[in-house]
Amino acid sequence: MRQDTQSAQEGLSTVRCGNALADGARHHGWFIGRFLEIPHDLRSSDAVEVKWSTHHAGTQKQLWGMSEEATTLCVLIRGQVSLQFPGMECVLSQEGDYALWSAGVPHRWTVVQESLVLTVRWPSAPEAYREQVGGSST
């Protein structure tokens, strides 16, 4: 697959082909969002963030994470992941299983089987993401 940007009009990026794993390597798997350093790249967006992530069995996020501004969608491509929310657990175990949660909802996760996950968060507001222990922000 071609990694560079191809344009229909000179100087205007209208199409980009790439690899999510390679493009997200510098940002913990996130390959679309406001945090990208190239402002005119199609992947630099205030509207959305997209992450491609592979997790090994037994990996877990022990601290509660929460975006104060963004809605999040997590889609399982393969494997099995348990997402924990206050008072609720969602186990993603079949291709296409997803969890969708609104801004302000804390979450954490445990990987049951090696997994491939696509996560979409909107709007792109990386500064609004916080980690918590118990109920207090860190």
Side-chain angles (χ1 to χ4, degrees):
M1 179 171 290
R2 202 168 164 175
Q3 295 284 336
D4 61 335
T5 302
Q6 300 177 12
S7 298
Q9 301 173 5
E10 192 169 317
L12 179 62
S13 298
T14 57
V15 176
R16 179 180 175 93
C17 298
N19 179 276
L21 182 62
D23 288 353
R26 294 184 57 212
H27 299 284
H28 306 285
W30 294 98
F31 66 99
I32 296 176
R34 180 178 358 168
F35 46 81
L36 293 175
E37 296 84 15
I38 308 167
H40 299 293
D41 188 309
L42 281 173
R43 297 173 302 137
S44 183
S45 171
D46 290 343
V48 67
E49 298 173 355
V50 183
K51 180 179 185 178
W52 181 265
S53 53
T54 301
H55 301 283
H56 299 291
T59 305
Q60 54 183 287
K61 177 178 177 46
Q62 295 182 0
L63 295 177
W64 291 93
M66 178 185 72
S67 175
E68 296 171 346
E69 296 180 24
T71 298
T72 304
L73 170 65
C74 180
V75 181
L76 182 71
I77 297 177
R78 71 169 183 265
Q80 185 174 358
V81 177
S82 169
L83 290 159
Q84 295 93 37
F85 302 93
M88 182 179 180
E89 178 184 29
C90 290
V91 178
L92 310 181
S93 60
Q94 295 185 16
E95 293 179 8
D97 282 355
Y98 68 90
L100 176 67
W101 62 95
S102 60
V105 176
H107 71 285
R108 60 185 181 184
W109 46 262
T110 301
V111 179
V112 179
Q113 296 175 356
E114 183 167 323
S115 299
L116 179 58
V117 177
L118 180 71
T119 304
V120 181
R121 188 181 293 154
W122 66 92
S124 180
E127 72 285 350
Y129 187 82
R130 306 279 182 264
E131 288 191 334
Q132 305 173 337
V133 178
S136 60
S137 295
T138 59

